[in-house]
């Protein structure tokens, strides 16, 4: 509640002050004449600058006799500031042709010209109104935030400084004091705001020592202005110079601190924050400091103060956006575009300026000149667009480095998805590609059924976004298509596949640098979504084809799932396993070995402290663990030398490795097994045993496992453990995952038989019998014994 009253009191004070300053501005125009006291105690006009009321009316050397019917020495602005301001009438003496002095009486205009009214009153009042609205937005959205107070004071000090500058130009005492106080407080309020704002990131903009120095410095111009209003002994120019020097110096210091913070965080999540503040601050203050304040110190400005002050309004808008939004716009994206378009625009602008100067330099302006200018400009712009098309193709990628990332990513992704065989592989490849290119930590996939949207199932990471996701998709349900981007409270959702009323959705978290997804990133994501949709469609076609095949075989044989179809699927699966194992061995494993050798070389060749040696040794051991894990993964995906070792020796090796990683003991007996198995039978037995061991480790919690392999009217594999057991009714048929039901399907694919025996707490027993001769994969034709036409091998 106290905050509410403080805000209301501030707005009332600002309104009263703005009203007073407006009245002082409306009373009369700025006269602008400087005077000085000569040796005869007469006030002589020393300057009558262009652009003010005095220009052409008061001449340098004129003797000011009376102002408003009083002696010039008694007039307030002359006595205190050596200027003529606020006068209604002026009586002066001007030297004539001889030694005579001509008395001239001048009436000062009442009110302002339309141009003066706009520049000196309408624009400043509009800026105060805009800044007041921005302050109200900050108050409503962030009333409990301490940084909000400093930001509001920063806004209002800019507005008051802008308005009071014109009242100060008329040497109004309140205007002078208001300008001095608000002018020197603008950068102080900014620094206080940045300190408060950066508290949430455990960062400080400036320390307390620097703040105390600033507090001491700002008392100097304010104290001088107050004492001058009372004692009238300090020339106006000295205080103005002090204010400009202080304002310029402290803003250069602020820009230095922003550069320092940006350099410190240029690789961190605060990079975009400091880059945005730096660009906003330079854009706002550069025209005022370097085109008015600094040149004014040397007696000649480039642009007038009231024009330079307009640029200051960009600063409140930047900081309001930064303070009230969760995500910033991508400043790097904007700067890259600006550099590109600025470089392209330079030459056409130069040519247009030259042509305009040549055509308009002719003394006799006519409609022919304007037609010439139009035609020249029109032809130049056509030529420019041709040049831009060439530049977009050849130069834009060099300036905007991200374009190379996106193009390379699309090439890489299109290659990877050519090997995708199921939905999980597609999602894995898509997630890897996105995380490699974008600064995104969290990616998730889910399905939405539009006619049952309120019953959507989401993972744990998205449960807090459930309501936002449902509301967003309800709002855009009529516009959903492949690549459609739907913003939610945190991150974005992208449609990457559609099947009937079911939508496959990719969710991306906010970027680490807290910037919005720019247009290039959105276009890249839409292209990835289109590629993914094609893969989804192909997977659906394959799934439909398999279903049709199953129906056909069921119709012919009346069986459940055709062994032929199952064998085809298992063969394709094994083919992908071999391919993945080869890729891991040839790329990831070799890279790890290379880094391991380089690390060993560094540890051997260079002297280093014990702490560093210990850390590098730990890294070395970690690399060895990763290398070992990759090798084990390759061995699981593609059992090494299975045909050369034979099934018995291969299983013994598997048991040795698995007992090292697990808490069970395997008793394996295959002493009398002499059957010569083909590749398919051998791989099937190996995979079955592998899965049974995985089940014993993850689910059964077994301590002892008994496995036998023998020949008895077929190939007999027996398995028994002392684990927790299971309910057999929970075992469902499915070949989409490898579990106990997957074992059933693999046995069925070889036209064997399998029997499970288990009760809760009684362990699991599995008895498998496979025919000695592996059945042919071609069930339609006995003549075609080669299955390469089906597997594509």
């Amino acid at each position: 509640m106290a905050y509410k009253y403080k805000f209301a009191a501030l707005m009332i004070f600002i309104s009263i002050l703005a009203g007073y300053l407006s009245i002082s501005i409306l009373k009369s125009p700025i006269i602008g004449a400087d005077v000085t006291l000569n040796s005869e105690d007469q006030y002589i006009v020393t300057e009558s600058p262009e652009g003010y009321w005095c220009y052409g009316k008061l001449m340098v050397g004129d003797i000011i006799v009376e102002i408003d019917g009083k002696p010039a020495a008694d007039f307030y602005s002359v006595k205190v500031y050596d200027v003529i301001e606020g006068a209604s009438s002026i009586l002066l003496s001007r030297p004539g042709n001889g030694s005579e002095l001509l008395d001239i009486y001048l009436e000062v205009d009442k009110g302002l010209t339309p141009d003066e009214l706009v520049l000196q009153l309408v624009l400043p009042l509009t800026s105060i109104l805009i800044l007041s609205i921005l302050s109200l937005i900050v108050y409503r959205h962030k009333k409990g935030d301490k940084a909000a107070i400093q930001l509001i004071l920063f806004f209002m000090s800019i507005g008051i400084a802008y308005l009071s500058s014109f009242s100060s130009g008329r040497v109004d005492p309140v205007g002078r004091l208001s300008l001095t106080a608000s002018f020197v407080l603008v950068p102080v309020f900014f620094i206080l705001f940045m300190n408060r704002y950066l508290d949430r990131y455990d960062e400080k903009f400036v320390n307390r020592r620097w703040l105390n120095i600033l507090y001491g410095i700002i008392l100097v111009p304010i104290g001088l202005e107050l004492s001058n209003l009372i004692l009238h002994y300090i020339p106006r120019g000295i205080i103005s110079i002090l204010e400009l020097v202080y304002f310029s110096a402290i803003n250069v210091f602020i820009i230095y601190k922003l550069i320092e913070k940006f350099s410190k965080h240029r690789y961190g999540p605060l990079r975009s924050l400091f880059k945005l503040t730096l660009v906003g601050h330079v854009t706002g203050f550069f025209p005022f400091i370097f085109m008015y304040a600094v040149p004014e110190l040397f007696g000649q400005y480039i642009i007038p103060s009231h024009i330079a002050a307009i640029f200051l309004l960009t600063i409140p808008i930047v900081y309001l956006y930064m303070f009230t939004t969760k995500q910033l716009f991508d400043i790097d994206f904007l700067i890259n575009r600006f550099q590109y378009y600025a470089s392209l625009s330079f030459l056409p602008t130069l040519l247009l300026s030259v042509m305009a100067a040549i055509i308009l330099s002719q003394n006799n302006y006519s409609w022919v000149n304007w037609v010439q200018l139009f035609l020249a400009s029109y032809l130049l712009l056509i030529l420019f667009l041709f040049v831009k098309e060439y530049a977009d193709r050849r130069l834009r990628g060099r300036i905007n480095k991200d374009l190379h990332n996106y193009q390379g990513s699309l090439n890489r992704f299109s290659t990877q998805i050519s090997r995708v065989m199921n939905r999980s592989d597609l999602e894995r490849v898509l997630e890897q590609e996105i995380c490699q290119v974008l600064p995104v930590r969290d990616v998730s996939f889910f399905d939405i059924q539009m006619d049952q949207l309120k019953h959507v199932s989401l993972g744990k990471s998205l449960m807090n976004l459930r309501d936002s996701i449902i509301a967003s998709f309800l709002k855009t349900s009529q516009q959903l298509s492949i690549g459609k981007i739907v913003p939610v409270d945190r991150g974005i959702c992208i449609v990457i596949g559609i099947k009937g009323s079911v939508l496959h959705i990719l969710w991306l978290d906010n970027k680490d640098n807290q910037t919005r997804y720019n247009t290039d990133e959105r276009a890249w994501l839409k292209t990835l979504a289109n590629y993914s949709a094609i893969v989804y469609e192909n997977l659906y076609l394959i799934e439909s084809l398999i279903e049709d095949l199953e129906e056909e075989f069921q119709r012919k044989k009346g069986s459940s799932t055709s062994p032929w179809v199952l064998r085809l699927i298992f063969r394709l699966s094994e083919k992908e396993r071999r391919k993945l194992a080869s890729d891991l061995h040839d790329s990831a494993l070799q890279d790890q070995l290379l880094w391991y050798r380089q690390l060993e070389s560094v540890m051997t060749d260079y002297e280093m402290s014990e702490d560093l040696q210990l850390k590098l040794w730990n890294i070395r051991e970690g690399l060895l663990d990763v290398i070992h894990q990759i090798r084990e993964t390759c061995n699981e995906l593609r059992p090494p030398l299975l045909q050369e070792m034979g099934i018995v020796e291969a299983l013994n090796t598997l048991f040795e490795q698995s007992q090292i990683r697990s808490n069970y003991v395997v008793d394996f007996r295959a002493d009398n097994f002499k059957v010569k198995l083909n590749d398919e039978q051998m791989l099937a037995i190996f995979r079955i045993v592998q899965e049974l061991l995985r089940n014993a480790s993850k689910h059964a919690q077994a301590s002892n496992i008994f496995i036998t392999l023998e020949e008895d009217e077929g190939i007999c594999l027996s398995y028994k453990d002392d684990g927790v057991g299971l309910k057999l009714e929970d075992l469902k048929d499915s070949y989409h995952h490898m579990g106990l039901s997957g074992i059933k399907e693999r046995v069925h694919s070889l036209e064997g038989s399998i029997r499970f025996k288990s009760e809760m707490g009684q362990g699991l027993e599995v008895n498998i019998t496979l025919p000695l001769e592996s059945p042919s994969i071609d069930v339609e034709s006995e003549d075609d014994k080669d299955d390469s036409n089906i597997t594509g091998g």
Side-chain angles (χ1 to χ4, degrees):
M1 188 62 70
Y3 186 82
K4 177 180 179 181
Y5 291 134
K6 289 179 181 179
F7 180 77
L10 176 64
M11 291 296 105
I12 292 172
F13 172 74
I14 295 296
S15 301
I16 294 173
L17 181 59
Y20 175 86
L21 296 174
S22 300
I23 292 172
S24 70
I25 292 171
L26 282 170
K27 283 182 179 179
S28 63
I30 297 178
I31 296 173
D34 290 351
V35 296
T36 188
L37 193 65
N38 65 8
S39 59
E40 299 177 3
D41 291 334
Q42 297 173 324
Y43 278 97
I44 308 299
V45 176
T46 58
E47 188 174 2
S48 181
E50 185 179 358
Y52 298 103
W53 180 88
C54 64
Y55 184 73
K57 300 179 179 68
L58 297 179
M59 305 295 181
V60 174
D62 287 348
I63 302 171
I64 306 301
V65 180
E66 292 182 355
I67 301 176
D68 292 350
K70 300 177 183 179
D74 295 335
F75 193 69
Y76 174 79
S77 68
V78 173
K79 180 172 61 176
V80 177
Y81 297 109
D82 291 332
V83 296
I84 301 175
E85 292 296 346
S88 300
S89 62
I90 301 173
L91 177 63
L92 59 89
S93 295
R94 180 176 296 165
N97 294 331
S99 59
E100 298 180 356
L101 294 176
L102 301 178
D103 291 336
I104 300 175
Y105 180 79
L106 299 175
E107 290 280 347
V108 179
D109 299 335
K110 300 294 183 183
L112 306 178
T113 65
D115 290 343
E116 291 173 335
L117 184 65
V118 170
L119 291 176
Q120 298 178 22
L121 188 62
V122 175
L123 282 179
L125 284 177
T126 302
S127 69
I128 287 185
L129 178 61
I130 293 173
L131 291 167
S132 299
I133 294 173
L134 298 182
S135 299
L136 182 61
I137 294 173
V138 171
Y139 169 75
R140 289 177 63 89
H141 284 78
K142 302 284 184 177
K143 62 177 67 176
D145 196 327
K146 293 182 179 180
I149 301 173
Q150 308 301 335
L151 185 61
I152 291 172
L153 292 173
F154 174 62
F155 288 173
M156 300 318 301
S157 60
I158 291 177
I160 291 299
Y162 189 15
L163 179 63
S164 59
S165 64
F166 298 103
S167 178
S168 174
R170 292 165 169 82
V171 297
D172 181 89
V174 176
R176 290 286 306 167
L177 185 59
S178 173
L179 174 64
T180 301
S182 59
F183 194 64
V184 298
L185 285 173
V186 166
V188 175
F189 286 141
F190 170 78
I191 291 174
L192 291 174
F193 161 70
M194 288 298 294
N195 265 359
R196 292 287 190 184
Y197 180 77
L198 292 175
D199 280 344
R200 66 193 66 182
Y201 302 108
D202 297 324
E203 186 76 26
K204 278 290 182 185
F205 189 63
V206 297
N207 56 36
R208 173 57 61 179
R209 181 171 61 87
W210 276 109
L211 283 175
N212 292 334
I213 292 174
L214 290 176
Y215 292 149
I217 291 176
I218 63 175
L219 292 177
V220 175
I222 294 177
L224 289 175
E225 189 64 54
L226 278 172
S227 61
N228 195 46
L229 291 175
I230 300 171
L231 303 176
H232 315 319
Y233 70 92
I234 301 176
R236 182 182 64 153
I238 293 178
I239 299 178
S240 298
I241 290 173
L242 283 176
E243 291 173 356
L244 290 175
V245 169
Y246 163 80
F247 189 79
S248 302
I250 195 171
N251 276 287
V252 169
F253 169 74
I254 288 173
I255 291 173
Y256 162 76
K257 292 298 292 184
L258 289 173
I259 294 174
E260 180 184 59
K261 294 295 182 183
F262 172 71
S263 300
K264 177 182 176 182
H265 297 279
R266 63 185 180 274
Y267 301 118
L270 296 182
R271 177 180 185 274
S272 295
L273 170 66
F274 285 112
K275 196 166 190 177
L276 175 62
T277 55
L278 179 59
V279 171
H281 212 80
V282 170
T283 302
F285 281 109
F286 182 86
F288 188 87
I289 294 175
F290 296 102
M291 294 187 179
Y292 170 72
V294 174
E296 177 70 11
L297 296 176
F298 299 96
Q300 183 63 50
Y301 54 78
I302 299 174
I303 60 176
S305 60
H306 55 271
I307 299 298
I310 295 176
F311 288 90
L312 296 176
L313 295 179
T314 61
I315 297 176
I317 295 173
V318 168
Y319 291 108
L320 173 74
Y321 172 80
M322 181 184 74
F323 187 58
T324 57
T325 56
K326 296 179 180 179
Q327 290 178 279
L328 309 176
F329 63 85
D330 196 335
I331 186 66
D332 292 320
F333 176 79
L334 182 65
I335 290 176
N336 285 337
R337 289 295 189 278
F338 178 80
Q339 292 174 341
Y340 179 60
Y341 292 129
S343 61
L344 287 181
S345 302
F346 178 77
L347 185 58
T349 302
L350 180 63
L351 294 177
L352 278 173
S353 301
V354 171
M355 289 189 304
I358 293 173
I359 294 174
L360 298 180
S361 63
Q362 303 175 23
N363 293 328
N364 53 337
Y365 297 117
S366 67
W367 64 271
V368 175
N369 300 120
W370 295 109
V371 171
Q372 291 173 343
L373 183 59
F374 170 78
L375 291 176
S377 303
Y378 186 57
L379 293 174
L380 182 61
L381 287 175
I382 293 174
L383 178 62
F384 169 72
L385 291 176
F386 276 105
V387 173
K388 182 182 180 301
E389 183 179 356
Y390 173 82
D392 285 341
R393 197 167 55 248
R394 295 297 182 90
L395 302 178
R396 184 176 169 188
R398 299 178 185 176
I399 297 176
N400 186 5
K401 302 300 182 184
D402 286 338
L403 287 180
H404 290 306
N405 293 339
Y406 301 140
Q407 292 165 358
S409 167
L410 293 176
N411 292 334
R412 185 168 57 245
F413 183 69
S414 61
T415 302
Q416 290 174 335
I417 61 175
S418 64
R419 299 192 293 267
V420 165
M421 293 300 296
N422 53 54
R423 177 176 172 178
S424 60
D425 288 343
L426 172 62
E427 292 175 353
R428 176 180 53 81
V429 170
L430 187 57
E431 179 179 354
Q432 289 176 349
E433 195 60 46
I434 290 173
C435 293
Q436 184 174 346
V437 176
L438 296 180
V440 176
R441 294 184 182 178
D442 201 0
V443 177
S444 185
F445 299 88
F446 61 93
D447 290 345
I448 283 183
Q449 191 162 344
M450 293 306 296
D451 53 357
Q452 298 181 7
L453 190 56
K454 294 186 178 180
H455 302 289
V456 61
S457 177
L458 301 173
K460 292 182 179 179
S461 62
L462 296 179
M463 287 307 296
N464 58 336
L465 294 175
R466 179 186 177 85
D467 294 340
S468 172
I469 289 173
I470 293 175
S472 299
F473 276 91
L474 282 174
K475 188 184 302 182
T476 58
S477 59
Q478 302 300 322
Q479 307 167 3
L480 292 174
S481 58
I482 298 297
K484 176 69 176 179
I485 295 178
V486 181
V488 292
D489 283 350
R490 195 179 92 235
I492 58 174
C493 292
I494 308 169
V495 181
I496 59 174
I498 298 177
K499 183 182 182 184
S501 62
V502 177
L503 276 63
H504 303 301
I505 306 299
L506 163 66
W507 172 80
L508 301 180
D509 200 355
N510 292 333
K511 294 193 291 184
D512 291 345
N513 56 15
Q514 297 301 310
T515 61
R516 300 181 187 276
Y517 290 91
N518 60 51
T519 54
D520 280 353
E521 291 167 344
R522 287 171 173 261
W524 172 72
L525 288 170
K526 287 181 180 180
T527 304
L528 290 183
N530 286 323
Y531 282 2
S532 301
I534 295 172
V535 178
Y536 272 117
E537 189 67 27
N538 289 336
L539 293 176
Y540 291 143
L541 290 174
I542 294 172
E543 183 180 302
S544 177
L545 175 61
I546 292 175
E547 289 176 356
D548 291 342
L549 286 171
E550 289 185 5
E551 290 178 4
E552 180 67 19
F553 282 104
Q554 289 174 9
R555 185 179 62 81
K556 287 185 176 182
K557 294 188 173 182
S559 60
S560 55
T561 305
S562 171
W564 179 86
V565 175
L566 292 175
R567 291 179 66 200
L568 171 62
I569 293 172
F570 284 124
R571 284 195 175 191
L572 293 174
S573 174
E574 292 298 337
K575 183 178 180 181
E576 289 305 309
R577 286 171 181 247
R578 288 194 298 272
K579 190 179 297 183
L580 178 57
S582 177
D583 290 342
L584 281 174
H585 183 274
D586 295 341
S587 58
L589 180 58
Q590 300 307 315
D591 289 343
Q592 295 292 328
L593 289 171
L594 177 62
W595 287 114
Y596 175 77
R597 294 189 187 100
Q598 290 186 8
L599 180 60
E600 278 198 326
S601 175
V602 170
M603 294 174 66
T604 304
D605 297 344
Y606 296 93
E607 294 185 2
M608 56 190 72
S609 64
E610 291 184 3
D611 290 343
L612 181 57
Q613 186 82 19
L614 179 61
K615 290 180 180 179
L616 291 179
W617 188 86
N618 290 332
I619 295 173
R620 172 180 170 274
E621 293 302 309
L623 275 175
L624 280 176
D625 289 342
V626 172
I627 291 169
H628 178 69
Q629 291 172 7
I630 293 176
R631 279 178 172 156
E632 283 193 342
T633 303
C634 291
N635 291 340
E636 286 188 7
L637 291 171
R638 182 178 60 185
L641 304 176
L642 184 59
Q643 187 65 38
E644 292 80 357
M645 295 171 62
I647 187 61
V648 175
E649 189 62 33
L651 289 177
N652 278 320
T653 303
L654 175 63
F655 297 146
E656 290 176 4
Q657 295 174 351
S658 62
Q659 287 177 112
I660 294 173
R661 300 191 300 266
S662 304
N663 295 323
Y664 52 68
V665 176
V666 179
D667 183 357
F668 177 52
R669 298 179 183 179
D671 299 335
N672 301 320
F673 189 77
K674 305 297 183 182
V675 179
K676 187 174 182 180
L677 304 177
N678 60 33
D679 291 348
E680 193 168 25
Q681 291 171 321
M682 195 177 303
L683 186 58
I685 293 173
F686 188 88
R687 291 296 187 205
I688 289 170
V689 174
Q690 199 176 39
E691 186 57 42
L692 288 169
L693 293 178
R694 188 178 293 114
N695 177 75
S697 175
K698 290 185 177 180
H699 307 295
Q701 302 175 17
S703 300
N704 296 285
I705 298 174
F706 304 92
I707 298 176
T708 60
L709 181 63
E710 57 187 359
E711 177 188 357
D712 183 11
E713 298 182 359
I715 304 167
C716 297
L717 176 67
S718 298
Y719 168 92
K720 186 176 181 180
D721 66 41
D722 59 354
V724 296
L726 77 160
K727 295 181 180 179
L728 294 181
E729 56 268 23
D730 293 340
L731 191 60
K732 298 181 180 179
D733 292 338
S734 172
Y735 60 79
H736 293 292
H737 61 276
M738 279 298 296
L740 297 181
S741 59
I743 293 174
K744 285 179 61 178
E745 299 297 352
R746 192 179 282 275
V747 172
H748 183 43
S749 71
L750 296 177
E751 299 186 3
S753 63
I754 183 170
R755 183 174 62 87
F756 292 94
K757 181 180 179 181
S758 179
E759 293 181 5
M760 295 301 297
Q762 299 298 319
L764 172 66
E765 184 176 345
V766 183
N767 294 300
I768 298 171
T769 302
L770 301 177
L772 291 173
E773 295 294 330
S774 178
S776 172
I777 195 171
D778 188 357
V779 298
E780 293 294 330
S781 173
E782 293 294 334
D783 298 329
D784 187 5
K785 300 297 182 182
D786 184 7
D787 58 3
S788 64
N789 61 322
I790 295 173
T791 63

